[in-house]
Amino acid sequence: TMGNVLRALGQLERALSVLEAALERTVVSDHPARYGALLNVMGTIHRDLGNLDTALEYFRRTEAYLTVTVYASFTQTSIAHIQLQQGHVEEALDTYRDALRLNRKASFVEGIALGCRSLGDVLVGLKRPAESVPYLREAATLFAQIEDVRNEALMWRRLAGVYEQLEQHADASDAWGRLRALHHEQL
C-alpha cells in the first residue's frame, strides 16, 4: 500500500495520513484482516516516530482483527519490544513467550525459530544467560532444519559466548565447533 511505500521512504507523517484515510474507508466487518493490517502498520510508524504509547495502543487494537495466528504472533513481538523499551521487563518476557506459544500453536517453524531467537537475545541482553540457552539452542536447531545457515551460525556464535560466560567450556567448545563446521560447509 501507499502507506508502506511512504514509510519505507522515511515519509512517516505522510504515511500516517494516507493510512488514516484508508482506515476511515475500510469497513471493518467486510475486511477485518485488512483493517488489522492497517492498524499494525500505523503502530509500526508510531513506534518509528518514538510514540511508544500510541504504537502500543495500535498494536493492541490490531490483535482483535487478526484471525491468523502467525500474524498475531508478529503483533505480540512488536508489543514485547515496546514493553521492553518502556522498562516493563517481566511483562515483555511474558509477551515474547506468548508470541512463541502462538507460533508453536500454528506449527510455524520459521516463526518458532525467530521467536526463540528474539527471546534468547533479550535474555542475553538482560544478563540472564542461563535462561537464554534453551531458546538459543532451539533456534539453532530450527534454523538448521529450515536451512537458514546465516541465522543458525549466529545462534551458535551467541551460544558459544553464553557458554563461555557460564564457564561451560565443553559446551562452548562444541558451539564453536558447530560454527566452524558451518563456515567450512559454506566455502
Side-chain angles (χ1 to χ4, degrees), residues 152-154 156-157 160 174-184:
E152 180 188 0
L154 180 63
W156 286 117
R157 183 178 320 133
D174 178 61
W176 285 120
R178 289 175 186 252
L179 182 60
R180 275 191 302 278
L182 282 173
H183 177 72
H184 289 299

Side-chain angles (χ1 to χ4, degrees), residues 45-149:
I45 292 171
H46 278 288
R47 184 190 63 210
D48 294 348
L49 288 168
N51 306 329
L52 299 183
D53 290 331
T54 304
L56 199 51
E57 287 174 30
Y58 275 105
F59 288 134
R60 291 213 187 278
R61 285 177 57 198
T62 298
E63 292 177 296
Y65 299 101
L66 296 177
T67 56
V68 178
T69 305
V70 172
Y71 296 143
S73 74
F74 294 141
T75 300
Q76 287 295 98
T77 301
S78 295
I79 290 170
H81 291 330
I82 291 172
Q83 290 170 328
L84 195 59
Q85 284 180 288
Q86 292 178 328
H88 306 292
V89 174
E90 293 307 317
E91 187 178 354
L93 291 173
D94 286 342
T95 306
Y96 281 114
R97 289 182 190 105
D98 287 343
L100 186 54
R101 271 191 287 280
L102 288 171
N103 281 312
R104 288 188 198 287
K105 180 179 175 184
S107 300
F108 180 45
V109 176
E110 185 177 7
I112 297 167
L114 291 169
C116 286
R117 175 186 168 178
S118 291
L119 191 49
D121 285 346
V122 166
L123 289 165
V124 168
L126 292 171
K127 310 260 187 278
R128 293 162 69 169
E131 292 176 58
S132 75
V133 169
Y135 297 108
L136 296 174
R137 284 194 72 85
E138 184 176 1
T141 300
L142 292 173
F143 284 129
Q145 182 181 333
I146 61 174
E147 299 179 359
D148 183 340
V149 176

Side-chain angles (χ1 to χ4, degrees), residues 6-73:
L6 291 169
R7 177 178 174 252
L9 294 172
Q11 297 179 25
L12 302 179
E13 297 294 340
R14 266 188 75 201
L16 276 178
S17 177
V18 166
L19 290 166
E20 286 168 359
L23 205 55
E24 288 174 15
R25 289 189 312 271
T26 302
V27 178
V28 178
S29 59
D30 292 343
H31 304 285
R34 181 169 188 244
Y35 192 79
L38 288 168
L39 291 171
N40 195 319
V41 175
M42 290 180 74
T44 302
I45 292 171
H46 278 288
R47 184 190 63 210
D48 294 348
L49 288 168
N51 306 329
L52 299 183
D53 290 331
T54 304
L56 199 51
E57 287 174 30
Y58 275 105
F59 288 134
R60 291 213 187 278
R61 285 177 57 198
T62 298
E63 292 177 296
Y65 299 101
L66 296 177
T67 56
V68 178
T69 305
V70 172
Y71 296 143
S73 74

